[in-house]
């Protein structure tokens, strides 16, 4: 569950002097503060996952509605990612981080006071915009603070993002099941953490004062474009991310409820634990996969996800809770290899002067793969039932994983030194 900062951020962050230096180097706590904010941001993105089943029962929502709510987050995050990199270069990291944290709080309040499905769409849209902004501006701030340790920062943030998501999803499930107000308590606790982090960001100095464009100029989105010399590498990497994010979308929207129904376990905690287990396993996978050459890790993950999806269908059909949890662990491990390896491979080969346009194309397809297949799965589940649709959805993603793996085997290119690409989940 990773992502990269788009155009210009790394180069700007690594400069020294008045424009691109690090004015807060004396604040040793700024680095852990920002990385914690990013971890909590990804936790906010996953907090509603174990509660979707409760919303469906409360307002008689169809699976299609649930997936549309989830897709609202993905589309808002995509828009934010495409804009936030340039905005943070121009106006600084701190204003965007403050705005993102404040917007997260507003979204959590909307969740806590929701009286209908419209509020869910509003809250998820706010959170998509906030998390996308926080991830880009925060990742840039981390490079500002430690400009010569980009690779280490990338690995650490990738791990922390998954840890944050796992901890938040599991905590939200426990609080919803055991707390006094299942639709309020989980968000209130997360909101208290975000508020503390917001106060910390307000006390933190700005990490970047440079401008990359004319003052008052209009912010522009980099046009997606892939140079012909890396077209094969791009197809390999983007197939891997599209397949893995398709799985992620369904795991975060429909899978918790489906796991409970298939096993007969009517517990929010169980559904949340399944998703949290996947995220935790992904964190573990990313922690060790940095030692594996990127293309090899991605190929292993692609084929591994294909096998695990087949096992997921069998596990759900068996109705055994231990089998569902076991495939969740395997899915997290293979997901981490596939996504992290695909992103690292692309980072190795993308030309520096095309980084923004290539990453724009990469994330347009990545977020599209998260949202569109999830919506289609929700529509099909509304029409025929998720138990009938899930095997066919799995087959489609299995074919995509196999295609990515085969294409990777055919991609023979000398691998350059690892580029300091900044990962994140979304």
């Amino acid at each position: 569950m990773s992502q990269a900062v788009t155009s210009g951020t790394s180069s700007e962050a690594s400069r020294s002097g008045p424009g691109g230096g690090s004015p807060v180097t004396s604040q040793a706590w700024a680095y852990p503060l920002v990385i914690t904010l990013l971890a909590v941001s990804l936790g906010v993105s996953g907090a509603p996952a174990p509660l979707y089943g409760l919303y469906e029962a409360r307002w008689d929502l169809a699976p299609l509605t649930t997936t549309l709510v989830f897709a609202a987050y993905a589309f808002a995050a995509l828009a934010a990612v495409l804009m936030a990199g340039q905005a943070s270069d121009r106006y600084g990291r701190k204003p965007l981080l403050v705005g993102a944290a404040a917007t997260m709080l507003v979204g959590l309040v909307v969740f806590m006071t929701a009286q209908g499905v419209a509020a869910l769409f509003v809250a998820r849209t706010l959170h998509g915009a906030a998390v996308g902004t926080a991830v880009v501006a925060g990742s840039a701030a981390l490079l500002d603070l430690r400009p010569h340790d980009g690779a280490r920062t990338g690995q650490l943030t990738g791990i922390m993002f998954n840890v944050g998501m796992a901890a938040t999803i599991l905590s939200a499930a426990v609080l919803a099941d055991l707390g006094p107000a299942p639709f309020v308590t989980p968000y209130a606790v997360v909101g208290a953490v975000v508020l503390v982090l917001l106060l910390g960001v307000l006390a933190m100095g700005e990490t970047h004062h440079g401008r990359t464009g004319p003052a008052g100029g209009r912010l522009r989105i980099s046009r997606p474009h892939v140079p012909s010399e890396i077209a094969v590498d791009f197809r390999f990497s983007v197939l891997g991310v599209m397949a893995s994010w398709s799985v992620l979308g369904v795991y975060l929207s429909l899978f918790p409820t489906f796991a409970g129904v298939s096993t007969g376990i009517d517990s929010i905690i169980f559904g949340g634990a399944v998703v949290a287990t996947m995220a935790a396993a992904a964190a573990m996978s990313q922690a060790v996969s940095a030692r594996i050459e990127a293309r090899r890790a991605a190929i292993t993950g692609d084929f591994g996800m294909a096998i695990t999806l087949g096992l997921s269908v069998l596990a759900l059909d068996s109705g055994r809770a231990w089998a569902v949890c076991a495939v969740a662990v395997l899915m997290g491990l293979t997901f981490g290899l596939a996504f992290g390896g695909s992103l690292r491979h692309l980072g190795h080969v993308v030309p520096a002067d095309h980084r923004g346009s290539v990453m724009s194309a990469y994330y347009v397809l990545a977020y599209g793969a998260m949202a569109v297949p999830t919506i289609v799965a929700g529509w099909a589940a509304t029409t025929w039932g998720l138990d009938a649709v899930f095997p066919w959805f799995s087959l489609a993603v299995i074919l995509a994983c196999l295609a990515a793996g085969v294409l990777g085997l055919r991609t023979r290119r000398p691998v350059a030194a690892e580029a300091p690409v900044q990962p994140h989940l979304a």
Side-chain angles (χ1 to χ4, degrees):
M1 303 174 186
S2 307
Q3 194 175 46
V5 174
T6 57
S7 61
T9 302
S10 295
S11 61
E12 284 294 321
S14 61
R15 296 176 186 173
S16 59
S22 178
V24 294
T25 51
S26 61
Q27 295 180 335
W29 50 268
Y31 187 90
L33 171 71
V34 173
I35 207 168
T36 302
L37 175 62
L38 298 187
V40 172
S41 298
L42 270 294
V44 168
S45 74
L51 278 70
Y52 283 134
L54 293 181
Y55 287 122
E56 290 176 1
R58 184 185 190 186
W59 294 318
D60 194 25
L61 304 181
L64 175 60
T65 304
T66 300
T67 54
L68 286 173
V69 169
F70 180 84
Y73 166 86
F75 288 129
L78 171 59
V81 163
L82 292 176
M83 296 294 293
Q86 187 181 155
S88 71
D89 281 345
R90 180 174 299 180
Y91 305 116
R93 321 303 186 199
K94 182 175 176 178
L96 271 72
L97 290 176
V98 170
T103 303
M104 284 182 221
L105 288 173
V106 174
L108 290 167
V109 171
V110 174
F111 266 124
M112 287 187 285
T113 59
Q115 297 299 314
V117 69
L120 301 186
F121 279 100
V122 172
R124 289 303 279 167
T125 300
L126 290 171
H127 281 168
V131 173
T133 300
V135 163
V136 172
S139 297
L142 292 174
L143 281 178
D144 292 337
L145 292 164
R146 297 186 182 178
H148 304 297
D149 200 16
R152 173 62 178 166
T153 293
Q155 181 188 13
L156 183 59
T157 52
I159 295 170
M160 289 298 294
F161 288 147
N162 288 285
V163 170
M165 179 171 283
T168 304
I169 290 175
L170 186 58
S171 298
V174 171
L175 291 169
D177 195 44
L178 304 178
F183 297 105
V184 175
T185 305
Y187 302 119
V189 172
V190 175
V193 176
V194 174
L195 179 59
V196 171
L197 293 172
L198 173 58
L199 295 175
V201 174
L202 287 170
M204 185 184 77
E206 176 58 68
T207 68
H208 175 79
H209 294 294
R211 289 181 179 269
T212 60
R218 180 179 299 177
L219 292 176
R220 299 182 183 276
I221 297 175
S222 299
R223 180 184 176 186
H225 171 71
V226 180
S228 58
E229 62 267 25
I230 65 164
V232 174
D233 297 280
F234 181 82
R235 285 195 293 270
F236 162 57
S237 295
V238 86
L239 271 175
V241 70
M242 291 177 72
S244 57
W245 279 28
S246 296
V247 174
L248 180 63
V250 172
Y251 256 74
L252 291 180
S253 59
L254 297 175
F255 198 81
T257 301
F258 188 28
V261 171
S262 66
T263 58
I265 300 177
D266 186 18
S267 169
I268 304 172
I269 295 178
F270 176 71
V274 170
V275 182
T277 297
M278 177 192 174
M284 183 183 302
S285 178
Q286 287 192 340
V288 301
S289 65
R291 304 173 184 176
I292 306 173
E293 187 264 318
R295 186 175 62 87
R296 184 178 296 112
I299 292 171
T300 302
D302 291 334
F303 287 126
M305 278 200 308
I307 295 171
T308 305
L309 280 166
L311 294 175
S312 296
V313 175
L314 297 177
L316 291 168
D317 285 343
S318 73
R320 293 183 173 90
W322 67 265
V324 173
C325 292
V327 296
V329 173
L330 289 176
M331 184 60 73
L333 294 174
T334 55
F335 177 97
L337 287 173
F339 189 30
S342 296
L343 181 59
R344 285 195 291 126
H345 179 77
L346 186 61
H348 294 163
V349 301
V350 62
D353 55 345
H354 289 282
R355 187 173 294 125
S357 60
V358 170
M359 296 314 298
S360 293
Y362 185 80
Y363 286 115
V364 165
L365 294 171
Y367 274 107
M370 176 183 282
V372 175
T374 304
I375 294 173
V376 173
W379 167 78
T382 301
T383 306
W384 295 291
L386 188 56
D387 55 342
V389 169
F390 190 77
W392 294 103
F393 169 83
S394 298
L395 177 61
V397 180
I398 285 171
L399 294 176
C401 292
L402 293 176
V406 170
L407 187 59
L409 291 174
R410 296 175 58 188
T411 303
R412 301 292 180 184
R413 173 191 294 270
V415 178
E418 183 168 337
V421 176
Q422 288 284 49
H424 86 83
L425 171 64

